[in-house]
Amino acid sequence: FSDGTPMTARDAAMALRTLLPASRQMAVIENSVVIQSAEPMPELLEELASGPNFIFRVPPGGGLLGTGPFVEADASKSADAGAADSDLPTAAPRRVFHANEECWAGRPFVDSIEVTLGVPPLRQLYDLQLGKADVIELTPDLVRRATQAGLKTWASTPVKLFALVFDDAQPAAQDARLREAVSLLLDRVTMAGVLLQKQAEPSAALLPQWLSGYAFVFNVDANPTRAKEIRDTLPANTASVGEPLRLRVDARGDVAKLLADRVAFNARQSQIVIQVVNRAGPRGGDSATPTEPAAGLHLVTWRFASLSPRAEFGALAAELGLNAVAVKSENGTPGDGGLEELYARERRVLEERRIVPLVAALETAGIGGAVRDWMPSNWGEWRLADVWLDRPDAMPAAKPEQSNPAPEQAAPPGGKP
């Protein structure tokens, strides 16, 4: 590990037990880790090598120790440094990471990385323009502005899913016909192209096309006419003005609120009343406060962190409580783990309409002029160990003029000296 402690098979097993699905049986035999499962694991190596499945240990003082190219500085000193900087927003935490001199992959080029959290998006853009930041996160509404200002930008493939999730907190959400109507009235194309300014793709699938290869078979086109026809078959008091279907925005950020408002607007066009609650709260019928009405619809987000479609689908299903449908094959027995089986499982989940995808958003970043070798993966992994900074103030100082300068050199043929 980065503190010099040897990494053992026991350390690896203890770390992976908290990260891999509970259905995996894990054992330590001498210096080996044995993983067993009742279902095939064709992408196990990909799971272990990507996403959050990294091996770490927790030191007595807390925090995490890994084997990567950077070591986090003392957390309390990092926080104090952030609080002492008067230019930072109030209560903006800062984390400092130093180069790991003994990293197995070699020492990174930069000596340290300072990460400041909680900075408003527009302030980040100003900091990048003023040279106070080298890499920032860009929200969809600021990408065009950064491009017009001549700043370098980068975008990943679609790695963040925004979706609607129904639960039984409201009786209306239990009606399969209403859930079908809501899934039909959504104008995903406008959400991705206009609201998110083409920094997203419309999606009717849980897994993006680049990860699964079959997302294109799910129809993303809206059908408000059919949605209105279904609405006419429902009782008049279902999702009406008197008892609206409440949509709670569980995902953080302005983008989620913008999408929720668009969902409510599309619903009104089909005479379905959806009331947006712009405050995060738990799902499953428990309201955020004892006096707050329960919400039967939630807007959630999921960030794809692995190159294994099977692992991502399983993790997403477990997080949103979709396992009852997602873990079984067509005949209820374990399948071969191939893409055909995965497609069948996803199709069954979507047919239940307990979860309704909206868009798959890109991650975008603004890159400072001093940053060199910025080559992240398409799926959003920042390879900061390969980055170096070309700062003018870091160049060697010019030598003072000599008292007896050398005679002027003759100009080369056809050119200037």
Side-chain angles (χ1 to χ4, degrees):
F1 290 100
S2 53
D3 66 342
T5 305
M7 187 186 72
T8 66
R10 179 178 176 83
D11 294 323
M14 291 182 64
L16 293 175
R17 279 195 184 104
T18 65
L19 300 169
L20 297 180
S23 58
R24 308 277 177 91
Q25 302 297 319
M26 199 170 306
V28 176
I29 301 178
E30 296 182 353
N31 199 36
S32 300
V33 178
V34 180
I35 303 175
Q36 295 178 312
S37 173
E39 294 188 350
M41 298 182 292
E43 299 167 344
L44 177 62
L45 295 182
E46 181 59 58
E47 290 182 56
L48 298 177
S50 64
N53 299 324
F54 59 90
I55 297 172
F56 61 92
R57 64 182 290 266
V58 181
L64 300 179
L65 287 175
T67 62
F70 295 99
V71 183
E72 184 174 8
D74 185 271
S76 61
K77 293 181 180 179
S78 299
D80 292 341
D85 191 337
S86 59
D87 285 342
L88 291 175
T90 304
R94 174 183 289 181
R95 292 289 178 263
V96 178
F97 299 86
H98 297 299
N100 181 9
E101 302 286 349
E102 304 298 330
C103 178
W104 60 273
R107 185 195 188 281
F109 290 105
V110 296
D111 296 326
S112 64
I113 297 177
E114 296 182 5
V115 181
T116 306
L117 308 175
V119 181
L122 190 57
R123 170 63 187 273
Q124 292 188 51
L125 182 59
Y126 289 152
D127 286 346
L128 184 66
Q129 291 176 306
L130 296 175
K132 294 183 177 181
D134 296 302
V135 181
I136 65 169
E137 291 181 324
L138 285 174
T139 53
D141 59 306
L142 292 179
V143 174
R144 179 179 298 179
R145 183 170 178 174
T147 304
Q148 292 174 344
L151 299 175
K152 181 181 177 182
T153 62
W154 166 85
S156 70
T157 54
V159 295
K160 184 180 293 184
L161 174 70
F162 287 90
L164 300 175
V165 177
F166 290 88
D167 62 28
D168 296 335
Q170 286 186 266
Q174 303 175 29
D175 194 316
R177 294 173 298 171
L178 177 64
R179 298 200 301 268
E180 181 183 2
V182 171
S183 67
L184 290 171
L185 59 83
L186 298 169
D187 188 358
R188 298 179 176 90
V189 175
T190 298
M191 293 179 185
V194 180
L195 297 185
L196 272 64
Q197 300 187 19
K198 298 183 180 181
Q199 300 303 309
E201 295 180 357
S203 177
L206 296 178
L207 299 179
Q209 174 67 25
W210 65 269
L211 184 59
S212 70
Y214 58 70
F216 68 93
V217 304
F218 297 104
N219 185 22
V220 299
D221 295 330
N223 192 345
T225 303
R226 175 55 183 161
K228 189 175 183 303
E229 292 174 355
I230 297 175
R231 174 68 184 89
D232 293 340
T233 67
L234 300 173
N237 61 346
T238 300
S240 62
V241 176
E243 184 60 31
L245 179 63
R246 283 177 286 275
L247 167 58
R248 177 170 293 135
V249 183
D250 291 348
R252 298 183 181 275
D254 294 334
V255 171
K257 297 176 183 178
L258 198 64
L259 291 174
D261 291 337
R262 185 67 189 189
V263 169
F265 174 78
N266 290 155
R268 286 198 300 271
Q269 294 177 318
S270 299
Q271 298 182 357
I272 296 176
V273 181
I274 294 180
Q275 178 185 354
V276 178
V277 182
N278 286 327
R279 188 161 65 84
R283 295 192 300 273
D286 296 329
S287 59
T289 63
T291 59
E292 183 181 333
L297 188 59
H298 301 260
L299 196 151
V300 302
T301 184
W302 178 266
R303 206 284 186 187
F304 300 103
S306 171
L307 295 183
S308 166
R310 181 184 177 91
E312 281 296 324
F313 180 73
L316 175 62
E319 174 69 19
L320 300 178
L322 306 173
N323 270 342
V325 178
V327 299
K328 297 179 181 178
S329 59
E330 291 284 0
N331 57 7
T333 60
D336 60 1
L339 282 179
E340 290 186 5
E341 179 200 343
L342 183 62
Y343 164 73
R345 293 184 180 186
E346 183 171 346
R347 176 175 52 80
R348 292 199 307 276
V349 169
L350 293 174
E351 287 175 349
E352 292 248 327
R353 293 187 173 87
R354 288 286 179 177
I355 180 170
V356 180
L358 298 176
V359 297
L362 289 64
E363 284 187 346
T364 52
I367 315 301
V371 176
R372 298 290 184 269
D373 286 351
W374 173 260
M375 297 183 293
S377 64
N378 290 337
W379 54 91
E381 178 187 352
W382 291 7
R383 297 167 178 167
L384 297 181
D386 298 330
V387 172
W388 57 280
L389 298 177
D390 183 13
R391 295 204 182 278
D393 55 3
M395 299 295 291
K399 294 183 179 180
E401 284 192 21
Q402 299 178 0
S403 57
N404 295 316
E408 184 177 353
Q409 299 289 331
K416 295 182 178 180

